[in-house]
Amino acid sequence: MSWSIRWKVAIGTLVAVACGLLIAGWMTVRSLEQRALTQFGETLEAKAKLVEYGFLALFHSSTPAVTLSRLQDIARDLGIRSSARITLIASDGTVLADNAVRDVDIPTLENHASRPEVSQALATGQGQDVRPSHTTGERTMYHARLLRVPHDRAPWVVRVALPLAQVDRLSDELKRQLLLAIGVAFLLTVTLSIWLAHSITKPLSEIASAAQALSTGNSTMRIRTTAQDEVGLLASTLNQMADQLHTKIEELSEDRAQLLAVLTSMVEGVMVLDARGHVLQINPALERMFGISRVDARGRPCAELFRHQRLNNLVTTILQARTPHEDEIVLPLSGRHLHIEASPAGGERDNEACIVLVFHDVTDVRRLEKIRKDFVANVSHELRTPLTSIKGYVEALLDGGKDDPSVAGRFLNIILKQSDRLNLIIEDLLELSKIESGQISLKEEPIDVRALVDRTLSTIKPIADRKIHRLVTALDPSLPLIAGDDDRLVQVLTNLLDNAIKYTPEGGTITLGAASAPSPYTSDPTPNAIDLFVADTGIGIPEKDRPRVFERFYRVDKARSRDLGGTGLGLAIVKHLVEGHGGQVWVEANHPQGSRFVVRLPIKGGKRSLAQWNQDNIV
Ligand code: ADP
């Protein structure tokens, strides 16, 4: 059991005061008793002197002869006068007279020589003793004096005795009074000590509960005290400490909130590890990148959490070297590329920030880099093919071919064809480049689909006729106006029809149609888009190639495309323009034969800046 300071102080004070009172009382009683006894002894001695004087009168010449009965009479007389018991004892201890004993019993009294006061008186002239009386049984004080008998007779001893009952009564009374006084003093002390303990411990209790509140995080608590003593000093020191703590906590909270805001809003993933490589902190971006939760991650070893060899190696290296390092990893499941910058943070102990790793998602950058590399390689390849051919035929002409007019004519025709092809590629590349750099801005005007179809067909018909194709239109009777760029949509349809003509053997059927459709971007089934489609009865596109035909320079059959004068850029341009209108384009199989290209455009238009679109969707 633990006692509060209040009780310790109260009980301690009480015990100390009680002990003090008891000791003082006991000493007082003893000293007063002693004093009373001394006074009693002195009175007895005075009485003994008077009694001695009374007996000495016996020996004057005028007095009758000394007999035992006369001694007894004098003893009785002196006893009445002095209110004491008087005993006269011969020097051999025989009792000669005693006023407390009947005359007849005197001879039967035992010898008194061994009584301490008697033997003392015989030896020194006087003696004193306190003991219970043989005769009365009461506690009695005896005082004996040597009585020098004249005529060279042996001295007698005169003894005066008084019971100490009076002194004992006085002492008992004294003890009672003192006990009462001690009791009252004790009660007063109880009250006083409780008040004292309360007044001392009250501010201490307040300080204790304030300190407790402080320890539970309530840094706003303050102790109110008017005390000017050490307790007051302690309280004001504690208040100052709480003030400082409060300020520090607020500063830390602000710092923490700012840090958390920064960490939370960062696009980059951040992870903080301690000196053992255990995770201390990760931010939401990192949670998303690795599909883990902060709660699960905290405190776990990085190696166990991510199980990524390259990341582990990086962490191990920086833990050992304590110098900044960087690396790039690829996540096995998502295939995302993460560039990691790891820097030492200085902490050496467990739970102290030792390394900070910042993860940048560079997947898009790497994808763009690859696309650009592939594009450059493709462009070089596409340009080199006609150039090599032109160079070859020019050399052949120079080597003598020019001298043979029929060979020269044939070679020059080939050179012309290859130059046209080169020109076509460069034109298409320039067109794509214009679209990508945002130089082409799409208009958003109301377009009558029927007029759009007619306009396209009039430009494409001569080319279709050359291959004896049948051009068919399939238009819904009630088509709404759509918002878009008339010229660019003609370009889209012309490209698709041009392909259909190219990749359909002579005598095929090419259908250009339009129908209402649901929006490409909402789940609302009400038709708020238009599907424009170009279907042919040509060679078709294998299913695996369909998603890729919109990539730059992707061709299902390279040789056939080249023979037919294709550049591999037509569908890429189509895709850019359609998506620039907020639409979609895809290809599917046409039944029973051929391909069917569908362009879905929102009726209200959904024009996006082509430069913006290009940033998001470079293919
Ligand atoms: P190209 O100039 O080679 O035609 P495109 O970008 O227009 O380039 O087309 C890409 C490839 O898609 C073509 O090389 C061809 O293999 C295929 N393709 C396009 N349209 C059709 C079609 N109507 N029928 C069959 N294949 C087609």
Side-chain angles (χ1 to χ4, degrees):
M1 178 182 130
S2 79
W3 289 33
S4 68
I5 290 190
R6 179 177 301 186
W7 283 111
K8 282 181 189 162
V9 169
I11 290 175
T13 317
L14 275 179
V15 170
V17 169
C19 288
L21 281 173
L22 285 174
I23 291 168
W26 179 74
M27 286 177 72
T28 311
V29 169
R30 258 192 66 115
S31 128
L32 286 175
E33 268 183 354
Q34 207 60 50
R35 207 178 156 79
L37 266 179
T38 312
Q39 270 183 2
F40 197 80
E42 283 169 6
T43 312
L44 208 59
E45 188 183 351
K47 286 188 182 200
K49 279 179 182 167
L50 286 174
V51 170
E52 182 191 0
Y53 185 73
F55 275 111
L56 275 177
L58 263 178
F59 300 104
H60 293 310
S61 54
S62 58
T63 53
V66 176
T67 62
L68 282 178
S69 66
R70 180 151 170 68
L71 287 176
Q72 184 68 359
D73 286 344
I74 294 170
R76 214 172 281 132
D77 181 43
L78 289 172
I80 290 165
R81 286 173 196 277
S82 62
S83 312
R85 179 184 167 193
I86 311 291
T87 312
L88 190 65
I89 303 148
S91 60
D92 62 352
T94 312
V95 175
L96 299 174
D98 193 325
N99 67 338
V101 181
R102 286 185 301 160
D103 293 2
V104 287
D105 293 335
I106 296 286
T108 63
L109 286 174
E110 69 177 274
N111 190 294
H112 273 39
S114 60
R115 299 287 195 273
E117 69 281 2
V118 175
S119 55
Q120 264 180 49
L122 285 169
T124 64
Q126 63 175 9
Q128 196 162 308
D129 191 29
V130 176
R131 67 171 178 277
S133 160
H134 277 256
T135 320
T136 61
E138 284 180 305
R139 208 165 78 94
T140 308
M141 180 180 274
Y142 297 92
H143 188 88
R145 293 188 68 79
L146 197 63
L147 184 73
R148 297 201 185 278
V149 184
H151 317 302
D152 296 333
R153 286 167 62 179
W156 291 345
V157 171
V158 60
R159 190 183 75 172
V160 183
L162 266 178
L164 283 170
Q166 203 187 341
V167 175
D168 285 347
R169 260 199 312 280
L170 198 77
S171 158
D172 285 349
E173 180 62 23
L174 203 69
K175 279 180 190 164
R176 251 198 314 281
Q177 297 278 348
L178 252 164
L179 261 177
L180 192 70
I182 288 175
V184 171
F186 189 72
L187 279 178
L188 271 174
T189 313
V190 167
T191 321
L192 259 170
S193 64
I194 289 175
W195 174 81
L196 191 73
H198 180 73
S199 64
I200 291 176
T201 57
K202 189 170 169 266
L204 283 177
S205 310
E206 281 176 9
I207 290 173
S209 43
Q212 223 165 21
L214 204 66
S215 74
T216 56
N218 176 10
S219 58
T220 54
M221 72 83 215
R222 292 294 173 273
I223 308 159
R224 272 173 213 89
T225 177
T226 49
Q228 299 292 318
D229 52 10
E230 290 86 343
V231 175
L233 185 69
L234 180 64
S236 69
T237 311
L238 214 69
N239 280 343
Q240 278 173 14
M241 213 171 81
D243 276 341
Q244 285 173 1
L245 203 68
H246 186 66
T247 318
K248 282 274 172 299
I249 287 175
E250 280 203 333
E251 279 174 17
L252 282 175
S253 305
E254 271 172 31
D255 285 356
R256 193 180 140 79
Q258 282 169 7
L259 197 71
L260 270 180
V262 170
L263 278 179
T264 310
S265 61
M266 272 175 83
V267 187
E268 290 84 8
V270 178
M271 176 164 71
V272 184
L273 301 179
D274 68 8
R276 297 168 301 168
H278 287 203
V279 176
L280 291 180
Q281 187 65 269
I282 62 171
N283 73 340
L286 197 88
E287 284 180 308
R288 287 191 295 275
M289 279 176 191
F290 286 90
I292 51 172
S293 90
R294 192 174 348 181
V295 182
D296 289 346
R298 268 191 180 161
R300 283 177 65 188
C302 171
E304 177 198 303
L305 186 65
F306 298 103
R307 296 188 186 282
H308 196 291
Q309 193 54 46
R310 214 172 159 128
L311 178 59
N312 289 350
N313 291 346
L314 178 68
V315 170
T316 314
T317 312
I318 189 170
L319 275 176
Q320 284 165 358
R322 300 292 161 101
T323 49
H325 278 74
E326 51 186 87
D327 200 356
E328 194 166 314
I329 62 169
V330 179
L331 298 184
L333 290 179
S334 61
R336 300 202 75 81
H337 291 247
L338 301 178
H339 179 258
I340 309 170
E341 283 174 36
S343 331
E348 291 295 335
R349 280 175 295 173
D350 297 355
N351 296 326
E352 259 185 19
C354 180
I355 316 176
V356 177
L357 297 116
V358 181
F359 295 73
H360 304 263
D361 189 337
V362 290
T363 314
D364 288 341
V365 177
R366 296 289 172 263
R367 191 170 62 87
L368 286 179
E369 277 173 5
K370 185 172 181 308
I371 286 169
R372 289 196 197 286
K373 262 188 219 156
D374 290 352
F375 179 69
V376 171
N378 277 332
V379 170
S380 318
H381 178 76
E382 292 299 327
L383 292 178
R384 199 179 301 124
T385 313
L387 269 176
T388 315
S389 172
I390 291 168
K391 188 170 176 265
Y393 283 105
V394 169
E395 281 170 356
L397 282 173
L398 289 174
D399 281 351
K402 65 178 187 303
D403 301 331
D404 182 342
S406 67
V407 172
R410 199 159 49 85
F411 281 10
L412 284 171
N413 264 328
I414 294 171
I415 290 169
L416 181 66
K417 200 176 157 198
Q418 291 300 337
S419 309
D420 286 344
R421 179 170 161 69
L422 210 55
N423 193 35
L424 217 60
I425 292 173
I426 290 167
E427 269 178 12
D428 277 357
L429 276 174
L430 283 175
E431 178 77 2
L432 257 181
S433 151
K434 268 196 230 164
I435 295 174
E436 285 179 0
S437 63
Q439 285 177 33
I440 291 177
S441 63
L442 297 174
K443 290 178 284 182
E444 206 164 86
E445 306 160 330
I447 300 171
D448 176 9
V449 178
R450 201 170 288 276
L452 179 80
V453 167
D454 289 345
R455 202 180 136 200
T456 315
L457 284 179
S458 64
T459 49
I460 209 77
K461 191 156 184 332
I463 309 169
D465 287 348
R466 254 182 264 148
K467 281 189 81 177
I468 329 164
H469 287 317
R470 208 159 64 90
L471 272 181
V472 183
T473 52
L475 303 174
D476 267 7
S478 58
L479 285 170
L481 294 178
I482 58 166
D485 189 318
D486 197 26
D487 292 338
R488 292 297 162 186
L489 288 179
V490 169
Q491 187 183 356
V492 166
L493 291 179
T494 311
N495 268 0
L496 293 177
L497 285 166
D498 191 44
N499 276 351
I501 293 164
K502 269 196 299 191
Y503 298 107
T504 303
E506 283 188 359
T509 305
I510 292 159
T511 313
L512 175 57
S516 298
S519 162
Y521 296 112
T522 65
S523 51
D524 185 0
T526 44
N528 47 12
I530 289 262
D531 276 355
L532 298 168
F533 63 89
V534 175
D536 62 51
T537 53
I539 58 171
I541 303 170
E543 198 174 341
K544 65 173 176 43
D545 294 308
R546 281 178 209 152
R548 299 201 61 190
V549 290
F550 297 96
E551 291 174 20
R552 285 176 284 199
F553 297 117
Y554 188 84
R555 280 167 291 204
V556 178
D557 183 340
K558 277 192 178 16
R560 185 198 292 256
S561 163
R562 258 185 226 120
D563 286 349
L564 295 169
T567 61
L569 295 169
L571 287 181
I573 294 171
V574 166
K575 186 173 160 75
H576 272 66
L577 291 175
V578 171
E579 292 189 349
H581 275 84
Q584 278 178 324
V585 59
W586 68 91
V587 61
E588 51 198 33
N590 186 40
H591 295 290
Q593 201 189 342
S595 311
R596 187 171 189 270
F597 284 83
V598 185
V599 172
R600 180 165 291 178
L601 295 169
I603 292 172
K604 288 185 182 154
K607 194 182 86 168
R608 279 193 288 166
S609 132
L610 278 173
Q612 175 62 45
W613 180 87
N614 177 49
Q615 264 185 13
D616 303 340
N617 296 282
I618 287 177
V619 289

